Amino acid sequence: MKKRILIIGACGQIGTELTATLRKQYAPHKVVASDIREGDTEMMQSGPFEVLDAMDYDAVQDVVIKHEITDVYLMAAMLSATAEKFPMRGWNLNMNSLFNVLNLAKEGKIDKIFWPSSIAVFGPTTPKTDTPQRTVMEPSTVYGISKQTGERWCEYYFNKYGVDVRSIRYPGLISYKTLPGGGTTDYAVDIYHKAVKHNSYICFLNAETTLPMMFMDDAIKATIGIMEAPSEQIKIRNSYNLAAMSFNPEEIAASIRKQQKDFRISYEPDFRQAIANSWPQSINDSSAREDWGWNHEVELDEMTRIMLENLNK
Ligand code: SER
């Protein structure tokens, strides 16, 4: 099979682990990583790498042609908290990068696209718990507006031009290899780093803020899983709800205390509290489970064990 993969935004939180997994799964030379700047030694030495601006159509096209790319994973984005500070930059990056790959597919230059959406597509008027696949969507953040708009365009390009684009609405993602940047769910990564360093954490969300979350290994499994599923199983072409667990800061702190008895957490909510308040607490992902066989593996205590063990190394 003549599959050649391009990952745009390969040095970010998701891109780093996605690149490593894809390079293991396929021959490393068939997985081209790219980002706005060079990555770490592991990234640069484990396969081909291109410095690439996701907003530059000609540059993306040149890389696609040079490496005979068939599949693109577009992981470059500005996340929720940063996009509130730089609304136009967030909008431009999130939308223009998507149009670039959608148009390359429309012109027949690539076969398949993965584009991540987010729980941020939901807003204050969305049902908060067990949020259905199809429901009220009135996002109140720049990031959420860009993701919801992107979903509409993905579905439009599929219906109108037959573009094979696949998407999932990621919950907050937790990993130990690469730090997230500029998100509202980032506290759930930071808390483990601070637990290992200081045995205490000052949380920017309040104790009761329950949000949908997922361990990175599960997210990577879902990402590659939806891309490898037969096309006819992908019945939703805007984006699939995806879920694993839901917890609030007090519950993740309690999970850490099972291993570090005297771990302390205190709360100093900032502007990110309002963003978190607008998002669902739990997500119904039965469509993903039924359509293309999604299932998650890692729950909170298991994740805590993995995070603390690896960060302590
Ligand atoms: N984790 C993202 C954020 O907090 C949501 O997709 O911005």
Side-chain angles (χ1 to χ4, degrees):
M1 195 173 48
K2 204 188 123 298
K3 187 194 280 291
R4 285 193 184 252
I5 296 171
L6 172 65
I7 300 145
I8 300 176
C11 298
Q13 189 201 10
I14 308 170
T16 302
E17 300 204 28
L18 183 63
T19 302
T21 307
L22 286 169
R23 281 178 173 167
K24 249 178 240 147
Q25 202 161 314
Y26 300 93
H29 71 275
K30 292 187 173 172
V31 180
V32 181
S34 73
D35 209 304
I36 193 81
R37 59 186 71 84
E38 289 195 351
D40 61 16
T41 328
E42 159 76 23
M43 175 67 66
M44 303 307 290
Q45 291 183 353
S46 59
F49 188 95
E50 298 279 354
V51 172
L52 182 61
D53 177 357
M55 294 207 287
D56 183 341
Y57 182 83
D58 292 335
V60 178
Q61 177 171 259
D62 287 348
V63 168
V64 161
I65 290 168
K66 175 179 166 194
H67 294 277
E68 298 178 346
I69 297 299
T70 57
D71 297 12
V72 173
Y73 291 75
L74 175 57
M75 312 312 285
M78 191 184 287
L79 294 191
S80 60
T82 312
E84 287 308 292
K85 290 183 182 155
F86 308 103
M88 290 323 296
R89 272 168 57 190
W91 174 259
N92 287 336
L93 171 61
N94 295 355
M95 298 316 300
N96 293 345
S97 59
L98 175 59
F99 277 123
N100 285 348
V101 292
L102 286 175
N103 285 326
L104 281 170
K106 178 186 166 190
E107 288 161 20
K109 289 171 181 144
I110 49 179
D111 299 338
K112 214 192 268 187
I113 299 167
F114 176 83
W115 177 76
S117 187
S118 160
I119 54 165
V121 292
F122 301 116
T125 52
T126 301
K128 280 250 175 274
T129 55
D130 202 32
T131 302
Q133 175 68 40
R134 292 187 181 83
T135 184
V136 179
M137 292 165 92
E138 297 180 323
S140 56
T141 62
V142 173
Y143 177 68
I145 295 169
S146 76
K147 287 296 180 186
Q148 203 213 1
T149 310
E151 286 192 7
R152 299 284 87 229
W153 280 109
C154 287
E155 192 182 82
Y156 185 88
Y157 269 68
F158 173 76
N159 287 333
K160 198 91 177 179
Y161 310 119
V163 167
D164 188 356
V165 53
R166 303 165 182 216
S167 178
I168 50 195
R169 294 171 181 152
Y170 288 129
L173 299 182
I174 293 130
S175 60
Y176 58 84
K177 288 180 187 144
T178 311
L179 285 170
T184 301
T185 56
D186 296 7
Y187 92 85
V189 178
D190 202 27
I191 192 170
Y192 290 115
H193 285 266
K194 297 289 170 7
V196 166
K197 254 197 199 150
H198 310 301
N199 204 24
S200 68
Y201 182 60
I202 303 170
C203 189
F204 60 74
L205 299 180
N206 70 33
E208 299 83 38
T209 312
T210 299
L211 288 169
M213 300 278 186
M214 183 178 289
F215 186 56
M216 186 61 83
D217 288 13
D218 277 333
I220 299 297
K221 190 178 84 161
T223 305
I224 298 174
I226 193 173
M227 281 296 267
E228 288 185 341
S231 182
E232 62 276 10
Q233 287 182 9
I234 311 303
K235 297 182 180 129
I236 293 168
R237 292 293 181 158
N238 44 71
S239 192
Y240 277 93
N241 277 7
L242 195 76
M245 56 187 133
S246 283
F247 55 77
N248 64 35
E250 191 43 48
E251 287 161 344
I252 191 173
S255 177
I256 293 172
R257 267 185 222 112
K258 288 180 188 168
Q259 304 194 42
Q260 294 182 199
K261 256 197 194 109
D262 47 356
F263 173 72
R264 279 166 294 118
I265 185 165
S266 55
Y267 300 95
E268 287 177 16
D270 65 16
F271 74 102
R272 289 169 281 193
Q273 185 66 51
I275 301 176
N277 288 347
S278 77
W279 290 350
Q281 298 179 345
S282 61
I283 299 285
N284 184 312
D285 64 349
S286 51
S287 292
R289 288 173 195 263
E290 280 157 27
D291 289 359
W292 45 276
W294 154 247
N295 67 296
H296 75 282
E297 282 165 30
V298 181
E299 298 285 352
L300 177 56
D301 284 341
E302 168 73 352
M303 179 172 81
T304 298
R305 194 190 58 71
I306 300 170
M307 289 296 291
L308 293 178
E309 186 182 308
N310 284 283
L311 292 176
N312 268 311
K313 273 180 195 161

